[in-house]
Amino acid sequence: MRLPVYLDNNATTRVDERVVQAMLPYFTEKYGNAASRQHEYGWSAEGAVEAARARIASLIGASPTEIVFTSGATESINLGIKGIAESLEGKGNHVITAVTEHKAVLDTIDNLERHGFRVTRLPVEDDGRVDPRDVEEAITGQTIIVSIMTANNEIGTIAPIAEIGRICRARGIAFHTDATQAVGKIPIAVQSMFVDLMSFSAHKMYGPKGIGALYVRSSRPALRLVPQMDGGGHERGLRSGTLNVPAIVGFGSAAEIAMREMTADAEHTGRLRDQLVTMLMTELPGITVNGHPSQRLPNNASITFGGVDADRLMMGMKDLALSTGSACSSATPSPSHVLQAIGLNHEEVRGTLRFGVGRFTTGEEVTYAAGRIVETVMKMRVPQNYSKTEKV
Ligand SMILES: *Cc1c(COP(=O)(O)O)cnc(C)c1O
């Protein structure tokens, strides 16, 4: 067992060894520019990019021409939301999102607001779900974009995307979803979810960092985006810049593996996540699991430890790699906006840790981690004489 035990798979994942092997030739042998049309180096790079594109499209039920490569989900979100906002500016100026979105979405939409757009930020239920009726009620004649994430990165709650998508489609409103935590972990189908734009990233699904994709619907309805990067006109003019061929190949390989192993991964991570939660619940009074009880990612658990400061708890367990709810979404740590939105008070927010198991997590690691957490929480709680009856 390697220490620290890695339980932060919602922040990023280890690159699968098979993905690394697929990438390697594209650094030193097949290193051509995919836009070089005059020689074999260029052709083989382009062929590899198109094969990867097809695999990624297939994972989400899209066609290859609907996939635009970017540097990651943050860039996809910026291109998708700003690109469609600029394109539809004549049609309306209202945007709907939810308070629990990732900073990449919230900050992008703040930016639109500074440029004159009106924004509705919907609240969520205590389980973290956006009510589709709230989306419907928020729509005005001016609404041009709805952006609601598929699965939350802190608490793992999965949104009723198909219902929200159906509402948007019926009103002719562009629907973007940040599916970074969902793609590769749960089945995704852009058609039956009525999604027009979808952002996701390779490094959350055992692929390399710095490569992502934006799905852009090409028919019924076809979307037109205004590019946010000027240059050589790569990616059908939507995202200029020389393609990162090794990373794209890795992304394609990760997508192909996810396609075949998603069910097995979900069973494996679900079992380990449940094992961890059960061990903690059995040994420790005063803990609660946040998010939706069933509509949740298989690999994630957000747990509030009553009467404990999560930062201090982590300091006492340097042999575990974990995060508080807030750590991954921003470089500047502040109390989690997601945990606040689902009704946790200040103390509960401060007592919350996020656990993310993954494809490579073992039962031995989970048993070790649970033991360390129980031991450390008990030690920290002693002075307060914490009891099960106390309200947390
Ligand atoms: C990680 C993450 C992002 C950002 O992805 P990058 O590829 O790091 O830019 C956006 N949204 C969600 C939900 C995420 O989990």
Side-chain angles (χ1 to χ4, degrees):
M1 194 173 69
R2 186 169 150 205
L3 296 179
V5 172
Y6 190 72
L7 293 173
D8 204 8
N9 282 278
N10 297 101
T12 195
T13 55
R14 180 172 126 194
V15 181
D16 192 299
E17 188 57 40
R18 294 167 289 182
V19 170
V20 175
Q21 289 306 322
M23 291 172 69
L24 286 177
Y26 293 89
F27 289 103
T28 51
E29 291 159 41
K30 308 177 180 186
Y31 49 80
N33 186 324
S36 296
R37 295 277 151 74
Q38 286 90 7
H39 50 69
E40 172 56 29
Y41 291 91
W43 301 327
S44 75
E46 192 200 10
V49 165
E50 293 317 314
R53 197 190 303 277
R55 288 169 163 184
I56 293 158
S58 165
L59 180 63
I60 62 165
S63 47
T65 55
E66 298 178 306
I67 299 295
V68 177
F69 287 117
T70 66
S71 63
T74 301
E75 187 190 337
S76 298
I77 290 163
N78 273 267
L79 172 58
I81 295 178
K82 291 175 184 167
I84 196 70
E86 265 186 63
S87 158
L88 298 178
E89 223 161 359
K91 208 182 142 204
N93 69 345
H94 180 228
V95 179
I96 299 172
T97 189
V99 292
T100 48
E101 294 291 311
H102 191 277
K103 287 281 182 219
V105 168
L106 293 175
D107 289 2
T108 296
I109 290 179
D110 286 354
N111 185 316
L112 291 183
E113 195 171 37
R114 285 195 298 276
H115 287 86
F117 283 82
R118 291 207 313 104
V119 179
T120 301
R121 296 174 184 83
L122 297 173
V124 296
E125 315 278 320
D126 285 353
D127 58 20
R129 290 197 116 197
V130 173
D131 188 336
R133 284 171 303 186
D134 289 348
V135 175
E136 187 145 39
E137 278 166 26
I139 292 172
T140 73
Q142 290 294 308
T143 309
I144 53 169
I145 310 165
V146 171
S147 185
I148 303 289
M149 73 202 311
T150 308
N152 187 271
N153 50 301
E154 293 188 30
I155 58 175
T157 296
I158 298 169
I161 289 300
E163 285 171 73
I164 296 167
R166 188 189 296 276
I167 292 165
C168 296
R169 183 67 53 81
R171 308 289 190 93
I173 296 163
F175 179 40
H176 169 262
T177 187
D178 172 2
T180 314
Q181 289 290 341
V183 174
K185 295 196 192 85
I186 59 172
I188 295 289
V190 289
Q191 302 302 341
S192 58
M193 289 161 70
F194 303 98
V195 167
D196 299 317
L197 296 161
M198 177 182 282
S199 298
F200 54 108
S201 203
H203 75 96
K204 304 280 172 83
M205 48 182 274
Y206 313 101
K209 293 167 185 60
I211 188 75
L214 176 67
Y215 159 78
V216 185
R217 176 173 291 279
S218 68
S219 69
R220 289 178 296 140
L223 264 70
R224 281 170 44 91
L225 298 187
V226 175
Q228 303 295 306
M229 187 92 81
D230 296 309
H234 307 75
E235 297 297 271
R236 302 152 68 84
L238 283 174
R239 204 281 192 171
S240 286
T242 300
L243 292 177
N244 184 348
V245 178
I248 289 170
V249 168
F251 194 1
S253 169
E256 192 266 327
I257 295 168
M259 244 344 219
R260 278 188 288 111
E261 301 185 0
M262 189 182 302
T263 310
D265 280 346
E267 274 168 22
H268 172 72
T269 57
R271 185 159 29 82
L272 293 181
R273 188 268 314 272
D274 293 346
Q275 181 188 330
L276 178 70
V277 171
T278 305
M279 290 173 92
L280 296 178
M281 296 278 254
T282 311
E283 300 286 330
L284 293 171
I287 76 172
T288 46
V289 181
N290 302 306
H292 196 283
S294 60
Q295 292 302 307
R296 55 185 299 113
L297 292 175
N299 82 313
N300 158 287
S302 164
I303 300 181
T304 302
F305 297 85
V308 172
D309 182 287
D311 281 317
R312 281 190 53 223
L313 181 56
M314 279 197 302
M315 297 282 260
M317 313 184 295
K318 294 244 168 62
D319 47 351
L320 305 184
L322 297 165
S323 74
T324 56
S326 59
C328 112
S329 62
S330 152
T332 45
S334 55
S336 159
H337 66 286
V338 175
L339 298 175
Q340 287 175 329
I342 60 168
L344 270 60
N345 66 33
H346 184 66
E347 205 183 312
E348 289 162 340
V349 171
R350 287 188 37 165
T352 302
L353 284 180
R354 177 181 69 173
F355 299 88
V357 299
R359 181 182 288 163
F360 306 113
T361 309
T362 65
E364 185 191 11
E365 288 176 323
V366 166
T367 305
Y368 176 84
R372 289 286 293 127
I373 296 159
V374 169
E375 173 184 286
T376 315
V377 168
M378 301 236 267
K379 211 181 328 175
M380 284 179 60
R381 274 176 177 174
V382 167
Q384 292 142 0
N385 197 14
Y386 195 84
S387 82
K388 199 166 195 161
T389 50
E390 201 172 318
K391 177 146 172 38
V392 292

